[in-house]
Amino acid sequence: MTAAAPRPTPGRRRTRRALAIATGLVLAVALVNVLFGGGLATAQEDTGEAADDGLLQRGAQIFGAQCALCHGENGRGLPVDGPDGGPPLIGVGPASVDFMIRTGRMPLDNANERMRHREQQMSDQDRRAVVAYVTSLAPGEGPGIPDIDGWEEADLSRGLELFTTHCAACHGPTAAGIAVGQRDISSNLDIATPLEIAEAIRSGPGVMPAFNDEILPEDDVEAIVAWVRDLRERDSPGGLALGRSGPVSEGFIAWALGLGLLMIVMYLLGEKADEDGDDHGRA
Amino acid sequence: MTTTDEPRHRSALDDVARWLDDRLRLAEGSRRYWRKAFPAHWSFLIGEVALFSLVVLLFTGTFLAFFYVPDTRLVVYDGPYVPLQGQEISAAFDSTLRLSFEVRGGLVMRQIHHWAALVFVAAITVHMLRVFFTGAFRRPRELNWVIGVLLLLLAFGAGFTGYSLPDDLLSGTGLRIGYSVLLGIPFVGPLIGFIGLGGEYPGTDVLGRLHILHVMLLPAGLIGLVTAHLVILVRQKHTQKPSRKATNDNVVGEPLFPHQTLTSLALFAFTIAVLALLGGLFEINPVWLYGPYEPFQVFAPAQPDWYMGWLEGMLRLWPNWEFTVLGLTIPSTFLPGVILPGLIFTVVGAWPWIDARWITKDHDEHHLLQRPRDVPLRTGIGVGGLVFLLSIFIAGGNDVLASNTSTGLQTITAILRVATIAVPFLIGWIAYRMARGLKENELAVTAADPTRTEPASGPPR
Ligand code: HEM
Ligand code: HEM
């Protein structure tokens, strides 16, 4: 019986196989870990850096092609001379660049013309690239792209008050837009998205002043955004609101519709009476 | 028309009329008035539209006055309009919001009142133009013309004071412009300002003062003068358009009853309907969007109601000149804000005499109307003056114009300055030439063919 060779019992065999499988699994996991896990992490870092580089490169490329003509090499700025030229962009901050491209103001066609709101002139990806590039010229300077996630819960009442104090003088009390100084016209804010409103507040496009977060903390920016949006979306309890440009459009309606309709009535009433006029002696 | 021998249906109204007539003998005296003739041409109805809008203003205004509180003291808003909840606003603004959001029918009344004010002044203006271009102001109607000009001034006053009552951002700004013009009047300005505000700017009593003016003094003045206007009208009878039947010695038209009464009632109903339509369908002066007035808020260009636009435009066009006379600094608002409007109103008020002395050289009584072509010079001056007012009116909205045409504000203002001086002469001259051309043409035709009716003005009598 001593010579009983250790013959694997079915139970043992099962154990060994389980062990093998377990080892295999561990190895596999380890291998995966080694090959892919670390590799994944590295890949992430790599692509991250590569993408950043790529993004910056792409940004530099687009900048060279579309912006340097006016803003100069590396955004150093060029004097306005004929249709070209523009201010230096070093340190203007991401909010300004993002706003300018988002609202289609840049690239400008002609440095002597007013910037105007239009379709974005490049893809979102390209915009991010240019923003990254211009930011990299002076990292950390200028206002960053504001975070306004909470604007939908912001305090409308505060927003109305702040809008009245800081914005109504230029944009009109209903944000319909009016002229400011010579060549500048403040925008009708109906077309601006919440992020654009916040970026405009922080960066101050054109002659509009920039409001930093000492004057308007984040909560206040959100409140203003909420009020500007509310102005556009609130139902008007009084009926049709034509253009909301205040007394100007009201005067027009009063003449054209009010007195206009009454003139027609007068004309019809008078004409009819004309047919059977009688002669009466003047007493 | 019912004839007398038809069996009369006796209604309760007839009974009342009979009862009154038995006691007061109304029919005897009033028969003449019932038969009073009204000229039928439609342009004679514009004055009535003005009258009916005034009636609507009085009724809606009385409703508003039940709820409006003329008080600048601050209260905390706690009404249903979310964006203002918790803010400190004046009791006046609070009451306007209450009228707009809580009082049943309040908003529609406010809107009808405001639309009626705009249409009222528009109707007076057209009425005045009708009277001007047809020479209806000539002797013996000079007095009614002068009363009319006073009515126009009172209407401006009522509009301005009413606009200031809600105490919102826009009205406060209008008030401040008015106040600074007032202060610019040498010697008396600051005194009047002090009395009006009850102290230094922004003052505590100003809304109370404006309120009394708006709901008592000015309406009383309007009612009184309109009554005088109409009594004189009845005494003098209407002018009329010349025709085969209408001469300088008769009145051709509709008898007051029933024709003209029906026409007027219909017109009254239509006036109410149109104003209610505007008030019900179109938003006007949404003060809740403008927010409360903050006295020291720099709130740049604000438009007034249209009838104030020409005053605002004059202030905007006038260069920023200040000068010193006898040690007294005359601010740049004095000439455009006080002297020029005063001059314009004086010339307009004195027009019947200016017209008789220098233009027609005709001091006789006239009951027949002229056509604009009959007096080319008057027509030319009138059109020129109108174009002048129109271009300063446009200047009152120079910022809106600039932003809608994407042109610079200074460019627009410079263009308007030149236009205000040059264009009235040009257009006035063109109108004058056209009127002369038409008149000469007509004379030539009549001379060639004597069977045609003679030129409307006829020989002066
Ligand atoms: C008996 C006559 C009148 C009374 C009692 C009256 C009363 C009022 C009251 C209480 C208000 C403030 C309402 C508010 O906005 O909350 C008001 C506003 C106003 N009134 Fe009158 N009014 C009268 C006649 C007139 C006339 C003759 C005019 C114009 C020519 C006029 C033009 C205005 C205007 C433009 C407003 C501003 C309306 C607004 O808030 O949008 N009113 N009136
Ligand atoms: C509250 C404003 C006014 C009311 C309610 C009013 C009402 C009327 C009415 C109902 C008539 C008769 C119908 C007609 O000729 O149209 C009339 C005639 C007249 N109105 Fe006015 N009016 C007002 C303002 C003015 C103004 C501003 C002027 C001129 C500056 C004016 C000058 C005259 C004259 C001269 C007549 C006599 C015209 C004629 O007999 O042909 N009125 N007015």
Side-chain angles (χ1 to χ4, degrees), chain A residues 157 182 236 238 240 280 282, chain B residues 83 87 249 251 281 283 410-411:
Chain A
S157 162
Q182 180 61 349
S236 58
L240 303 175
H280 299 263
R282 182 175 281 277
Chain B
Q87 270 194 45
D249 307 308
V251 185
L281 287 186
E283 177 182 274
Q410 265 110 48
T411 315

Side-chain angles (χ1 to χ4, degrees), chain B residues 36 51 58 64 72 140 215 217 251 257 267 284 289 311 313 342 380 385 413 420-421 429 436 461:
Chain B
K36 181 183 150 28
L51 182 65
L58 295 176
L64 297 181
T72 45
V215 308
L217 301 182
V251 185
F257 189 84
L267 193 56
I284 186 166
L289 296 181
L311 283 172
T413 308
T420 305
I421 294 165
W429 184 76
R436 281 214 30 191
R461 297 162 38 89

Side-chain angles (χ1 to χ4, degrees), chain B residues 155-214:
Chain B
F156 283 165
F160 181 76
T161 51
Y163 191 75
S164 306
L165 289 181
D167 204 29
D168 61 294
L169 191 61
L170 271 192
S171 72
T173 308
L175 195 58
R176 199 173 54 175
I177 296 175
Y179 177 68
S180 65
V181 169
L182 186 72
L183 278 191
I185 305 176
F187 305 117
V188 290
L191 185 66
I192 303 177
F194 194 82
I195 296 172
L197 295 182
E200 295 288 312
Y201 184 82
T204 46
D205 297 350
V206 59
L207 287 181
R209 307 272 149 86
L210 290 172
H211 188 236
I212 301 281
L213 275 175
H214 184 78

